[in-house]
PDB file of all heavy atoms in Angstrom:
ATOM      1  N   LEU A   4      14.627 -14.035  11.874  1.00  0.00           N
ATOM      2  CA  LEU A   4      13.453 -13.355  12.425  1.00  0.00           C
ATOM      3  C   LEU A   4      12.926 -12.483  11.315  1.00  0.00           C
ATOM      4  O   LEU A   4      13.560 -11.806  10.622  1.00  0.00           O
ATOM      5  CB  LEU A   4      13.879 -12.311  13.519  1.00  0.00           C
ATOM      6  CG  LEU A   4      12.876 -11.317  14.027  1.00  0.00           C
ATOM      7  CD1 LEU A   4      11.699 -12.139  14.699  1.00  0.00           C
ATOM      8  CD2 LEU A   4      13.450 -10.306  14.962  1.00  0.00           C
ATOM      9  N   ILE A   5      11.591 -12.677  11.060  1.00  0.00           N
ATOM     10  CA  ILE A   5      10.884 -11.919   9.968  1.00  0.00           C
ATOM     11  C   ILE A   5       9.941 -10.922  10.634  1.00  0.00           C
ATOM     12  O   ILE A   5       9.086 -11.311  11.432  1.00  0.00           O
ATOM     13  CB  ILE A   5      10.024 -12.825   9.060  1.00  0.00           C
ATOM     14  CG1 ILE A   5      10.994 -13.882   8.388  1.00  0.00           C
ATOM     15  CG2 ILE A   5       9.269 -12.079   8.040  1.00  0.00           C
ATOM     16  CD1 ILE A   5      10.313 -14.977   7.583  1.00  0.00           C
ATOM     17  N   VAL A   6      10.180  -9.694  10.394  1.00  0.00           N
ATOM     18  CA  VAL A   6       9.293  -8.519  10.940  1.00  0.00           C
ATOM     19  C   VAL A   6       8.363  -8.283   9.772  1.00  0.00           C
ATOM     20  O   VAL A   6       8.742  -7.826   8.739  1.00  0.00           O
ATOM     21  CB  VAL A   6      10.296  -7.356  11.380  1.00  0.00           C
ATOM     22  CG1 VAL A   6       9.280  -6.217  11.813  1.00  0.00           C
ATOM     23  CG2 VAL A   6      11.206  -7.678  12.389  1.00  0.00           C
ATOM     24  N   ARG A   7       7.138  -8.261  10.052  1.00  0.00           N
ATOM     25  CA  ARG A   7       6.146  -8.134   8.992  1.00  0.00           C
ATOM     26  C   ARG A   7       4.796  -7.605   9.605  1.00  0.00           C
ATOM     27  O   ARG A   7       4.715  -7.272  10.703  1.00  0.00           O
ATOM     28  CB  ARG A   7       5.782  -9.482   8.394  1.00  0.00           C
ATOM     29  CG  ARG A   7       5.139 -10.428   9.404  1.00  0.00           C
ATOM     30  CD  ARG A   7       4.858 -11.818   8.774  1.00  0.00           C
ATOM     31  NE  ARG A   7       3.947 -12.513   9.634  1.00  0.00           N
ATOM     32  CZ  ARG A   7       3.676 -13.722   9.482  1.00  0.00           C
ATOM     33  NH1 ARG A   7       4.122 -14.383   8.454  1.00  0.00           N
ATOM     34  NH2 ARG A   7       2.807 -14.281  10.263  1.00  0.00           N
ATOM     35  N   GLY A   8       3.826  -7.418   8.678  1.00  0.00           N
ATOM     36  CA  GLY A   8       2.548  -6.954   9.151  1.00  0.00           C
ATOM     37  C   GLY A   8       1.795  -8.042   9.844  1.00  0.00           C
ATOM     38  O   GLY A   8       2.122  -9.172   9.829  1.00  0.00           O
ATOM     39  N   GLU A   9       0.808  -7.658  10.661  1.00  0.00           N
ATOM     40  CA  GLU A   9      -0.035  -8.499  11.431  1.00  0.00           C
ATOM     41  C   GLU A   9      -0.567  -9.774  10.675  1.00  0.00           C
ATOM     42  O   GLU A   9      -0.599 -10.851  11.156  1.00  0.00           O
ATOM     43  CB  GLU A   9      -1.148  -7.671  12.049  1.00  0.00           C
ATOM     44  CG  GLU A   9      -1.852  -8.277  13.210  1.00  0.00           C
ATOM     45  CD  GLU A   9      -2.805  -7.449  13.814  1.00  0.00           C
ATOM     46  OE1 GLU A   9      -3.879  -7.144  13.249  1.00  0.00           O
ATOM     47  OE2 GLU A   9      -2.585  -7.119  14.950  1.00  0.00           O
ATOM     48  N   SER A  10      -0.802  -9.511   9.444  1.00  0.00           N
ATOM     49  CA  SER A  10      -1.529 -10.591   8.665  1.00  0.00           C
ATOM     50  C   SER A  10      -0.594 -10.979   7.462  1.00  0.00           C
ATOM     51  O   SER A  10      -1.142 -11.211   6.343  1.00  0.00           O
ATOM     52  CB  SER A  10      -2.834 -10.192   8.163  1.00  0.00           C
ATOM     53  OG  SER A  10      -2.783  -9.046   7.368  1.00  0.00           O
ATOM     54  N   GLY A  11       0.732 -10.910   7.700  1.00  0.00           N
ATOM     55  CA  GLY A  11       1.687 -11.248   6.614  1.00  0.00           C
ATOM     56  C   GLY A  11       1.625 -12.607   6.125  1.00  0.00           C
ATOM     57  O   GLY A  11       1.179 -13.561   6.741  1.00  0.00           O
ATOM     58  N   ARG A  12       2.033 -12.766   4.907  1.00  0.00           N
ATOM     59  CA  ARG A  12       2.051 -14.025   4.284  1.00  0.00           C
ATOM     60  C   ARG A  12       3.124 -14.956   4.827  1.00  0.00           C
ATOM     61  O   ARG A  12       4.189 -14.559   5.334  1.00  0.00           O
ATOM     62  CB  ARG A  12       2.229 -13.953   2.626  1.00  0.00           C
ATOM     63  CG  ARG A  12       1.187 -13.081   2.097  1.00  0.00           C
ATOM     64  CD  ARG A  12       1.383 -13.048   0.586  1.00  0.00           C
ATOM     65  NE  ARG A  12       2.577 -12.341   0.258  1.00  0.00           N
ATOM     66  CZ  ARG A  12       3.111 -12.338  -0.960  1.00  0.00           C
ATOM     67  NH1 ARG A  12       2.486 -12.961  -1.885  1.00  0.00           N
ATOM     68  NH2 ARG A  12       4.281 -11.803  -1.085  1.00  0.00           N
ATOM     69  N   GLU A  13       2.890 -16.271   4.635  1.00  0.00           N
ATOM     70  CA  GLU A  13       3.995 -17.248   5.239  1.00  0.00           C
ATOM     71  C   GLU A  13       4.932 -17.735   4.092  1.00  0.00           C
ATOM     72  O   GLU A  13       5.787 -18.512   4.409  1.00  0.00           O
ATOM     73  CB  GLU A  13       3.122 -18.388   5.706  1.00  0.00           C
ATOM     74  CG  GLU A  13       2.324 -18.106   6.918  1.00  0.00           C
ATOM     75  CD  GLU A  13       3.269 -17.906   8.193  1.00  0.00           C
ATOM     76  OE1 GLU A  13       4.361 -18.482   8.220  1.00  0.00           O
ATOM     77  OE2 GLU A  13       2.884 -17.011   8.979  1.00  0.00           O
ATOM     78  N   LEU A  14       4.790 -17.254   2.918  1.00  0.00           N
ATOM     79  CA  LEU A  14       5.673 -17.730   1.813  1.00  0.00           C
ATOM     80  C   LEU A  14       7.084 -17.808   2.097  1.00  0.00           C
ATOM     81  O   LEU A  14       7.775 -18.943   2.058  1.00  0.00           O
ATOM     82  CB  LEU A  14       5.374 -16.871   0.480  1.00  0.00           C
ATOM     83  CG  LEU A  14       6.161 -17.454  -0.720  1.00  0.00           C
ATOM     84  CD1 LEU A  14       5.693 -18.787  -1.165  1.00  0.00           C
ATOM     85  CD2 LEU A  14       5.968 -16.420  -1.795  1.00  0.00           C
ATOM     86  N   MET A  15       7.705 -16.673   2.550  1.00  0.00           N
ATOM     87  CA  MET A  15       9.203 -16.727   2.916  1.00  0.00           C
ATOM     88  C   MET A  15       9.364 -17.471   4.105  1.00  0.00           C
ATOM     89  O   MET A  15      10.345 -18.383   4.001  1.00  0.00           O
ATOM     90  CB  MET A  15       9.613 -15.230   3.173  1.00  0.00           C
ATOM     91  CG  MET A  15      11.112 -15.219   3.418  1.00  0.00           C
ATOM     92  SD  MET A  15      11.770 -13.534   3.844  1.00  0.00           S
ATOM     93  CE  MET A  15      10.985 -12.486   2.759  1.00  0.00           C
ATOM     94  N   ALA A  16       8.601 -17.443   5.167  1.00  0.00           N
ATOM     95  CA  ALA A  16       8.882 -18.362   6.255  1.00  0.00           C
ATOM     96  C   ALA A  16       8.684 -19.774   5.973  1.00  0.00           C
ATOM     97  O   ALA A  16       9.614 -20.545   6.401  1.00  0.00           O
ATOM     98  CB  ALA A  16       7.804 -18.003   7.419  1.00  0.00           C
ATOM     99  N   ASP A  17       7.747 -20.177   5.188  1.00  0.00           N
ATOM    100  CA  ASP A  17       7.625 -21.582   4.781  1.00  0.00           C
ATOM    101  C   ASP A  17       8.855 -22.044   3.967  1.00  0.00           C
ATOM    102  O   ASP A  17       9.341 -23.151   4.316  1.00  0.00           O
ATOM    103  CB  ASP A  17       6.407 -21.805   4.029  1.00  0.00           C
ATOM    104  CG  ASP A  17       5.144 -21.665   4.937  1.00  0.00           C
ATOM    105  OD1 ASP A  17       5.217 -21.722   6.180  1.00  0.00           O
ATOM    106  OD2 ASP A  17       3.871 -21.603   4.324  1.00  0.00           O
ATOM    107  N   GLY A  18       9.291 -21.221   3.127  1.00  0.00           N
ATOM    108  CA  GLY A  18      10.534 -21.600   2.263  1.00  0.00           C
ATOM    109  C   GLY A  18      11.677 -21.722   3.191  1.00  0.00           C
ATOM    110  O   GLY A  18      12.543 -22.726   2.968  1.00  0.00           O
ATOM    111  N   LEU A  19      11.900 -20.862   4.132  1.00  0.00           N
ATOM    112  CA  LEU A  19      13.041 -21.006   4.956  1.00  0.00           C
ATOM    113  C   LEU A  19      12.895 -22.306   5.805  1.00  0.00           C
ATOM    114  O   LEU A  19      13.921 -22.975   6.140  1.00  0.00           O
ATOM    115  CB  LEU A  19      13.165 -19.783   5.848  1.00  0.00           C
ATOM    116  CG  LEU A  19      13.638 -18.521   5.088  1.00  0.00           C
ATOM    117  CD1 LEU A  19      13.386 -17.247   5.960  1.00  0.00           C
ATOM    118  CD2 LEU A  19      15.022 -18.571   4.649  1.00  0.00           C
ATOM    119  N   ARG A  20      11.762 -22.461   6.414  1.00  0.00           N
ATOM    120  CA  ARG A  20      11.521 -23.716   7.198  1.00  0.00           C
ATOM    121  C   ARG A  20      11.797 -24.937   6.427  1.00  0.00           C
ATOM    122  O   ARG A  20      12.409 -25.874   6.945  1.00  0.00           O
ATOM    123  CB  ARG A  20      10.025 -23.698   7.733  1.00  0.00           C
ATOM    124  CG  ARG A  20       9.827 -22.789   8.898  1.00  0.00           C
ATOM    125  CD  ARG A  20       8.449 -22.869   9.506  1.00  0.00           C
ATOM    126  NE  ARG A  20       8.263 -21.779  10.380  1.00  0.00           N
ATOM    127  CZ  ARG A  20       7.398 -20.677  10.198  1.00  0.00           C
ATOM    128  NH1 ARG A  20       6.639 -20.635   9.036  1.00  0.00           N
ATOM    129  NH2 ARG A  20       7.252 -19.792  11.088  1.00  0.00           N
ATOM    130  N   ALA A  21      11.369 -25.005   5.259  1.00  0.00           N
ATOM    131  CA  ALA A  21      11.693 -26.194   4.353  1.00  0.00           C
ATOM    132  C   ALA A  21      13.224 -26.420   4.125  1.00  0.00           C
ATOM    133  O   ALA A  21      13.574 -27.494   3.974  1.00  0.00           O
ATOM    134  CB  ALA A  21      10.930 -26.033   2.945  1.00  0.00           C
ATOM    135  N   ALA A  22      13.877 -25.273   4.256  1.00  0.00           N
ATOM    136  CA  ALA A  22      15.345 -25.387   4.064  1.00  0.00           C
ATOM    137  C   ALA A  22      16.061 -25.656   5.474  1.00  0.00           C
ATOM    138  O   ALA A  22      17.262 -25.577   5.541  1.00  0.00           O
ATOM    139  CB  ALA A  22      15.876 -24.161   3.449  1.00  0.00           C
ATOM    140  N   GLY A  23      15.222 -25.961   6.510  1.00  0.00           N
ATOM    141  CA  GLY A  23      15.814 -26.301   7.814  1.00  0.00           C
ATOM    142  C   GLY A  23      16.178 -25.060   8.745  1.00  0.00           C
ATOM    143  O   GLY A  23      16.832 -25.269   9.722  1.00  0.00           O
ATOM    144  N   VAL A  24      15.665 -23.905   8.386  1.00  0.00           N
ATOM    145  CA  VAL A  24      15.860 -22.745   9.203  1.00  0.00           C
ATOM    146  C   VAL A  24      14.900 -22.584  10.222  1.00  0.00           C
ATOM    147  O   VAL A  24      13.627 -22.901  10.028  1.00  0.00           O
ATOM    148  CB  VAL A  24      15.881 -21.472   8.288  1.00  0.00           C
ATOM    149  CG1 VAL A  24      16.034 -20.234   9.117  1.00  0.00           C
ATOM    150  CG2 VAL A  24      17.077 -21.550   7.199  1.00  0.00           C
ATOM    151  N   ILE A  25      15.142 -22.155  11.399  1.00  0.00           N
ATOM    152  CA  ILE A  25      14.277 -21.910  12.510  1.00  0.00           C
ATOM    153  C   ILE A  25      13.715 -20.539  12.281  1.00  0.00           C
ATOM    154  O   ILE A  25      14.605 -19.442  12.266  1.00  0.00           O
ATOM    155  CB  ILE A  25      14.897 -22.056  13.947  1.00  0.00           C
ATOM    156  CG1 ILE A  25      15.390 -23.435  14.165  1.00  0.00           C
ATOM    157  CG2 ILE A  25      13.936 -21.596  14.964  1.00  0.00           C
ATOM    158  CD1 ILE A  25      16.156 -23.749  15.292  1.00  0.00           C
ATOM    159  N   VAL A  26      12.483 -20.345  12.085  1.00  0.00           N
ATOM    160  CA  VAL A  26      11.886 -18.982  11.814  1.00  0.00           C
ATOM    161  C   VAL A  26      11.017 -18.513  12.917  1.00  0.00           C
ATOM    162  O   VAL A  26      10.088 -19.258  13.303  1.00  0.00           O
ATOM    163  CB  VAL A  26      11.093 -19.115  10.475  1.00  0.00           C
ATOM    164  CG1 VAL A  26      10.459 -17.708  10.134  1.00  0.00           C
ATOM    165  CG2 VAL A  26      12.042 -19.548   9.321  1.00  0.00           C
ATOM    166  N   ALA A  27      11.159 -17.220  13.193  1.00  0.00           N
ATOM    167  CA  ALA A  27      10.396 -16.514  14.182  1.00  0.00           C
ATOM    168  C   ALA A  27       9.739 -15.330  13.496  1.00  0.00           C
ATOM    169  O   ALA A  27      10.513 -14.705  12.724  1.00  0.00           O
ATOM    170  CB  ALA A  27      11.065 -16.037  15.492  1.00  0.00           C
ATOM    171  N   THR A  28       8.401 -15.065  13.685  1.00  0.00           N
ATOM    172  CA  THR A  28       7.884 -13.835  12.961  1.00  0.00           C
ATOM    173  C   THR A  28       7.413 -12.943  14.148  1.00  0.00           C
ATOM    174  O   THR A  28       6.923 -13.401  15.244  1.00  0.00           O
ATOM    175  CB  THR A  28       6.707 -14.225  12.190  1.00  0.00           C
ATOM    176  OG1 THR A  28       5.712 -14.921  12.900  1.00  0.00           O
ATOM    177  CG2 THR A  28       7.184 -15.145  10.997  1.00  0.00           C
ATOM    178  N   VAL A  29       7.400 -11.659  13.862  1.00  0.00           N
ATOM    179  CA  VAL A  29       7.019 -10.643  14.746  1.00  0.00           C
ATOM    180  C   VAL A  29       6.053  -9.617  13.952  1.00  0.00           C
ATOM    181  O   VAL A  29       6.599  -9.037  13.062  1.00  0.00           O
ATOM    182  CB  VAL A  29       8.152  -9.820  15.463  1.00  0.00           C
ATOM    183  CG1 VAL A  29       7.601  -8.693  16.209  1.00  0.00           C
ATOM    184  CG2 VAL A  29       9.017 -10.670  16.233  1.00  0.00           C
ATOM    185  N   PRO A  30       4.864  -9.575  14.360  1.00  0.00           N
ATOM    186  CA  PRO A  30       3.889  -8.618  13.668  1.00  0.00           C
ATOM    187  C   PRO A  30       4.321  -7.242  14.177  1.00  0.00           C
ATOM    188  O   PRO A  30       4.152  -6.892  15.395  1.00  0.00           O
ATOM    189  CB  PRO A  30       2.573  -8.980  14.045  1.00  0.00           C
ATOM    190  CG  PRO A  30       2.773  -9.827  15.378  1.00  0.00           C
ATOM    191  CD  PRO A  30       4.057 -10.441  15.336  1.00  0.00           C
ATOM    192  N   ALA A  31       4.722  -6.327  13.242  1.00  0.00           N
ATOM    193  CA  ALA A  31       5.194  -4.994  13.671  1.00  0.00           C
ATOM    194  C   ALA A  31       4.284  -3.862  13.363  1.00  0.00           C
ATOM    195  O   ALA A  31       4.317  -2.716  13.709  1.00  0.00           O
ATOM    196  CB  ALA A  31       6.501  -4.699  13.136  1.00  0.00           C
ATOM    197  N   TYR A  32       3.257  -4.226  12.403  1.00  0.00           N
ATOM    198  CA  TYR A  32       2.317  -3.137  12.053  1.00  0.00           C
ATOM    199  C   TYR A  32       1.078  -3.787  11.611  1.00  0.00           C
ATOM    200  O   TYR A  32       0.957  -5.049  11.401  1.00  0.00           O
ATOM    201  CB  TYR A  32       2.893  -2.284  10.925  1.00  0.00           C
ATOM    202  CG  TYR A  32       3.249  -3.029   9.659  1.00  0.00           C
ATOM    203  CD1 TYR A  32       2.337  -3.158   8.699  1.00  0.00           C
ATOM    204  CD2 TYR A  32       4.621  -3.605   9.585  1.00  0.00           C
ATOM    205  CE1 TYR A  32       2.768  -3.907   7.521  1.00  0.00           C
ATOM    206  CE2 TYR A  32       4.922  -4.245   8.422  1.00  0.00           C
ATOM    207  CZ  TYR A  32       4.048  -4.349   7.431  1.00  0.00           C
ATOM    208  OH  TYR A  32       4.391  -5.153   6.358  1.00  0.00           O
ATOM    209  N   ARG A  33      -0.016  -3.119  11.423  1.00  0.00           N
ATOM    210  CA  ARG A  33      -1.327  -3.503  11.021  1.00  0.00           C
ATOM    211  C   ARG A  33      -1.684  -2.878   9.846  1.00  0.00           C
ATOM    212  O   ARG A  33      -1.670  -1.657   9.737  1.00  0.00           O
ATOM    213  CB  ARG A  33      -2.375  -3.245  12.043  1.00  0.00           C
ATOM    214  CG  ARG A  33      -3.765  -3.754  11.735  1.00  0.00           C
ATOM    215  CD  ARG A  33      -4.815  -3.528  12.845  1.00  0.00           C
ATOM    216  NE  ARG A  33      -4.258  -4.177  14.039  1.00  0.00           N
ATOM    217  CZ  ARG A  33      -4.377  -3.718  15.227  1.00  0.00           C
ATOM    218  NH1 ARG A  33      -4.936  -2.547  15.463  1.00  0.00           N
ATOM    219  NH2 ARG A  33      -3.911  -4.344  16.371  1.00  0.00           N
ATOM    220  N   ARG A  34      -2.080  -3.394   8.674  1.00  0.00           N
ATOM    221  CA  ARG A  34      -2.658  -2.809   7.509  1.00  0.00           C
ATOM    222  C   ARG A  34      -4.038  -2.495   7.725  1.00  0.00           C
ATOM    223  O   ARG A  34      -4.942  -3.241   8.135  1.00  0.00           O
ATOM    224  CB  ARG A  34      -2.527  -3.860   6.393  1.00  0.00           C
ATOM    225  CG  ARG A  34      -1.076  -4.361   5.997  1.00  0.00           C
ATOM    226  CD  ARG A  34      -1.191  -5.384   4.922  1.00  0.00           C
ATOM    227  NE  ARG A  34       0.169  -5.874   4.638  1.00  0.00           N
ATOM    228  CZ  ARG A  34       0.713  -6.922   5.230  1.00  0.00           C
ATOM    229  NH1 ARG A  34       0.031  -7.559   6.119  1.00  0.00           N
ATOM    230  NH2 ARG A  34       1.874  -7.329   4.806  1.00  0.00           N
ATOM    231  N   SER A  35      -4.322  -1.218   7.439  1.00  0.00           N
ATOM    232  CA  SER A  35      -5.727  -0.693   7.369  1.00  0.00           C
ATOM    233  C   SER A  35      -5.877   0.440   6.448  1.00  0.00           C
ATOM    234  O   SER A  35      -4.925   1.196   6.176  1.00  0.00           O
ATOM    235  CB  SER A  35      -6.153  -0.357   8.839  1.00  0.00           C
ATOM    236  OG  SER A  35      -5.367   0.750   9.305  1.00  0.00           O
ATOM    237  N   VAL A  36      -7.058   0.613   5.937  1.00  0.00           N
ATOM    238  CA  VAL A  36      -7.369   1.753   5.027  1.00  0.00           C
ATOM    239  C   VAL A  36      -7.809   2.925   5.878  1.00  0.00           C
ATOM    240  O   VAL A  36      -8.846   2.678   6.626  1.00  0.00           O
ATOM    241  CB  VAL A  36      -8.269   1.365   3.850  1.00  0.00           C
ATOM    242  CG1 VAL A  36      -8.530   2.548   2.976  1.00  0.00           C
ATOM    243  CG2 VAL A  36      -7.723   0.174   3.166  1.00  0.00           C
ATOM    244  N   PRO A  37      -7.298   4.107   5.817  1.00  0.00           N
ATOM    245  CA  PRO A  37      -7.760   5.220   6.624  1.00  0.00           C
ATOM    246  C   PRO A  37      -9.175   5.687   6.104  1.00  0.00           C
ATOM    247  O   PRO A  37      -9.556   5.387   4.959  1.00  0.00           O
ATOM    248  CB  PRO A  37      -6.862   6.383   6.385  1.00  0.00           C
ATOM    249  CG  PRO A  37      -6.253   6.002   5.122  1.00  0.00           C
ATOM    250  CD  PRO A  37      -6.138   4.492   4.965  1.00  0.00           C
ATOM    251  N   VAL A  38      -9.984   6.192   6.990  1.00  0.00           N
ATOM    252  CA  VAL A  38     -11.236   6.784   6.702  1.00  0.00           C
ATOM    253  C   VAL A  38     -11.008   8.049   5.868  1.00  0.00           C
ATOM    254  O   VAL A  38     -10.025   8.839   6.262  1.00  0.00           O
ATOM    255  CB  VAL A  38     -12.000   7.040   7.982  1.00  0.00           C
ATOM    256  CG1 VAL A  38     -13.264   7.812   7.671  1.00  0.00           C
ATOM    257  CG2 VAL A  38     -12.260   5.913   8.770  1.00  0.00           C
ATOM    258  N   LEU A  39     -11.734   8.287   4.869  1.00  0.00           N
ATOM    259  CA  LEU A  39     -11.483   9.541   4.066  1.00  0.00           C
ATOM    260  C   LEU A  39     -12.117  10.765   4.754  1.00  0.00           C
ATOM    261  O   LEU A  39     -13.288  11.052   4.570  1.00  0.00           O
ATOM    262  CB  LEU A  39     -12.118   9.344   2.649  1.00  0.00           C
ATOM    263  CG  LEU A  39     -11.827  10.464   1.679  1.00  0.00           C
ATOM    264  CD1 LEU A  39     -10.366  10.555   1.444  1.00  0.00           C
ATOM    265  CD2 LEU A  39     -12.628  10.315   0.485  1.00  0.00           C
TER     266      LEU A  39
END
Side-chain angles (χ1 to χ4, degrees):
L4 172 65
I5 298 176
V6 180
R7 65 179 193 190
E9 191 173 71
S10 60
R12 296 183 302 166
E13 290 291 329
L14 181 64
M15 185 185 315
D17 288 345
L19 290 167
R20 285 184 188 108
V24 176
I25 297 170
V26 178
T28 59
V29 174
Y32 58 92
R33 179 179 304 141
R34 294 174 184 92
S35 64
V36 179
V38 173
L39 186 65

